[in-house]
């Protein structure tokens, strides 16, 4: 029987420094009222000097591992969904591996912009279903603030920094990730992009700072985001023979409150079953869904057996949806024997493991 992939741990981290709409009023031609009305955002967290994607990711990862009750040394894979890794080489996942001590894990980054967490859920499910991994750490972390043009008022008000993580473990017969839908459209890439920094546009000499700034056509993004996310949700539900009424909580990418409300309206889900925390974090790109998921669980909005639907949309363009039957960390609390069995299977397939 194919093992199911169960979220057993979750955690998030945001930088201490908070940038409010009032702070922005003193820097650019904007108002708190405009930002709240058009986006729902009131404040966002911004990294301090010396802080970046991997250190935030490692903090979120430690919280998720604690919650799952497993050691970093038990992980088979560490995946970081990000478009703002600390370096071109190495990946953010390599830095996270070092910082948390995931000594024998496969390590790689996943680039799908704001849809990175949903893409990562699908990859983790696949790794587990194929038998390649039994314990996967998926972290989504972004330091968008360093790529923002702080003079461009239509983009700089939207974004914030942060990281969210989940531990996903193999389980025999427990509920877990039910299905995913992943989509993309490269023809729309100019709606949200960073031109420089890749192999086509490397300027090692001279001033070229603007090339590394995030550029966005907000209205194009808006128009593409709403139908794409709604359709992905409908597809993932249809594939499971479910309807929107079966969903306990929709946890959408927190890009803009108006986008979230429009997606909810298209899907026909009432506002009380849509999780929103954009007012305190802004758009943290790939990190927004796991941050929201953590808060939803901690607030008691998600309980074991509930169906959680996540959907995201981002640069590329990329989008997708993931449907999860929430376990409540079932491997740690409900079935302790499974862990020991999993460990002995790993010992058989990997030989001697590190002492722990
Ligand atoms: N403060 C005050 N005025 C602003 C402003 C700001 N921060 N940003 C833009 N404006 C102005 C514009 O200059 C424009 O002025 P004009 O009419 O004099 O030309 C006016 O507000 C309307 O601009 P418009 O772009 O039509 O606003 P909008 O209602 O489309 O809202 C966004 C702009 C960016 C908030 C909105 O398009 C959006 O959220 N798009 C999606 C972006 C997104 O989610 N990206 C990430 C996806 S992962």
């Amino acid at each position: 029987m194919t093992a199911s992939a169960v979220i057993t741990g979750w955690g998030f981290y945001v930088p201490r420094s908070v940038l409010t709409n009032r702070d922005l009023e003193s820097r650019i031609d904007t108002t708190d009222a405009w930002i709240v009305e058009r986006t729902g955002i009131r404040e966002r967290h911004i990294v301090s000097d010396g802080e970046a994607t991997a250190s935030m990711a490692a903090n979120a990862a430690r919280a998720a591992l604690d919650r799952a009750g497993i050691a970093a040394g038990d992980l088979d894979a560490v995946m970081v969904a990000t478009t703002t890794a600390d370096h071109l080489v190495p990946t953010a996942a390599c830095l996270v591996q070092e910082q948390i001590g995931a000594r024998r894990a496969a390590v790689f980054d996943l680039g799908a912009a704001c849809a990175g967490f949903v893409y990562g859920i699908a990859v983790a499910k696949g790794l587990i279903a194929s038998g390649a991994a039994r314990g996967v750490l998926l972290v989504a972390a972004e330091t968008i603030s360093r790529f923002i043009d702080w003079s461009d008022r239509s983009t700089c008000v939207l974004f914030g920094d942060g990281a969210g993580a989940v531990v996903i473990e193999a389980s025999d017969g427990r509920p877990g990730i039910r299905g995913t839908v992943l989509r993309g459209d490269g023809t729309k890439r100019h709606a949200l992009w960073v031109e420089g920094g890749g192999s086509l546009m490397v300027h090692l000499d001279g001033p070229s700072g603007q090339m590394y700034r995030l550029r966005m056509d907000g209205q194009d993004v808006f128009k593409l985001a709403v139908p794409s996310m709604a359709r992905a949700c409908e597809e993932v539900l249809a594939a499971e023979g479910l309807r929107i009424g079966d969903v306990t909580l929709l946890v959408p990418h927190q890009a803009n409150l108006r986008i979230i409300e429009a997606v909810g309206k298209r899907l026909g889900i009432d506002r009380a079953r849509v999780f929103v925390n954009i007012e305190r974090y802004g758009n943290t790109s790939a990190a927004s869904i796991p941050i929201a998921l953590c808060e939803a669980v901690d607030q008691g909005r998600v309980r074991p057996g509930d169906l959680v639907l996540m959907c995201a949309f981002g640069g590329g363009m990329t989008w997708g949806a993931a449907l999860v039957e929430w376990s409540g960390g079932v491997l740690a609390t409900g079935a302790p024997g499974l862990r020991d069995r999993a460990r002995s299977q790993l010992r058989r397939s990997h030989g001697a493991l590190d002492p722990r």
Side-chain angles (χ1 to χ4, degrees):
M1 192 175 79
T2 307
S4 57
V6 180
I7 296 177
T8 57
W10 50 92
F12 77 100
Y13 172 85
V14 287
R16 189 170 297 210
S17 171
V18 173
L19 182 69
T20 65
N21 292 351
R22 297 272 179 221
D23 297 330
L24 285 168
E25 281 179 353
S26 61
R27 295 187 190 185
I28 50 168
D29 182 15
T30 193
T31 60
D32 173 58
W34 191 96
I35 301 172
V36 172
E37 189 202 321
R38 302 288 176 122
T39 72
I41 300 166
R42 294 181 187 276
E43 59 187 37
R44 68 287 290 145
H45 293 251
I46 303 289
V47 287
S48 306
D49 288 350
E51 196 171 27
T53 294
S55 58
M56 290 194 293
N59 283 330
R62 287 187 197 98
L65 287 164
D66 268 5
R67 188 78 70 125
I70 69 166
D74 288 344
L75 294 168
D76 303 307
V78 171
M79 181 182 359
V80 179
T82 187
T83 40
T84 53
D86 300 31
H87 312 285
L88 279 178
V89 181
T91 60
C94 285
L95 303 184
V96 171
Q97 178 203 33
E98 181 198 5
Q99 290 178 37
I100 65 173
R103 292 178 294 277
R104 59 174 190 74
V107 282
F108 60 98
D109 284 3
L110 187 157
C114 299
F117 183 76
V118 167
Y119 268 68
I121 289 276
V123 174
K125 180 174 159 60
L127 286 170
I128 286 171
S130 72
R134 288 194 70 90
V136 178
L137 173 70
L138 167 62
V139 198
E142 301 278 16
T143 313
I144 302 286
S145 67
R146 295 231 165 89
F147 297 87
I148 291 291
D149 178 349
W150 288 99
S151 66
D152 176 0
R153 66 179 181 171
S154 62
T155 58
C156 75
V157 301
L158 298 176
F159 294 94
D161 301 328
V166 289
V167 173
I168 304 172
E169 293 186 73
S171 165
D172 299 321
R174 300 280 156 169
I177 300 165
R178 295 274 295 261
T180 55
V181 165
L182 309 179
R183 299 279 185 268
D185 183 357
T187 66
K188 306 288 191 310
R189 64 190 178 279
H190 293 125
L192 180 57
W193 73 321
V194 179
E195 187 179 15
S199 58
L200 186 63
M201 289 277 182
V202 185
H203 287 253
L204 298 177
D205 305 305
S208 55
Q210 285 306 314
M211 275 185 13
Y212 301 95
R213 304 284 174 201
L214 184 79
R215 298 283 162 222
M216 185 185 74
D217 183 327
Q219 292 193 359
D220 270 5
V221 172
F222 200 116
K223 282 183 225 149
L224 292 164
V226 174
S228 305
M229 279 200 281
R231 217 167 29 244
C233 288
E234 286 160 359
E235 283 175 24
V236 80
L237 287 171
E240 290 293 306
L242 295 165
R243 295 161 177 270
I244 194 68
D246 298 313
V247 171
T248 313
L249 194 68
L250 176 68
V251 182
H253 170 43
Q254 308 285 308
N256 178 320
L257 181 59
R258 288 188 299 150
I259 291 178
I260 293 171
E261 287 174 347
V263 170
K265 202 167 162 199
R266 266 184 189 243
L267 288 172
I269 187 169
D270 51 277
R271 181 66 179 75
R273 290 190 292 135
V274 181
F275 192 81
V276 176
N277 66 358
I278 193 170
E279 66 279 5
R280 283 173 293 120
Y281 302 110
N283 178 349
T284 56
S285 187
S288 89
I289 290 182
I291 292 174
L293 182 65
C294 289
E295 291 203 329
V297 176
D298 290 344
Q299 290 170 19
R301 304 270 306 267
V302 180
R303 296 175 186 283
D306 284 352
L307 278 182
V308 181
L309 180 59
M310 303 173 236
C311 60
F313 184 91
M317 308 305 290
T318 53
W319 65 93
L323 184 67
V324 171
E325 190 170 340
W326 192 251
S327 68
V330 68
L331 297 192
T333 53
L338 282 173
R339 258 150 210 260
D340 295 333
R341 220 178 318 143
R343 288 207 177 107
S344 57
Q345 276 168 10
L346 278 171
R347 282 196 183 88
R348 279 200 297 280
S349 56
H350 290 269
L353 294 179
D354 296 325
R356 46 180 173 263

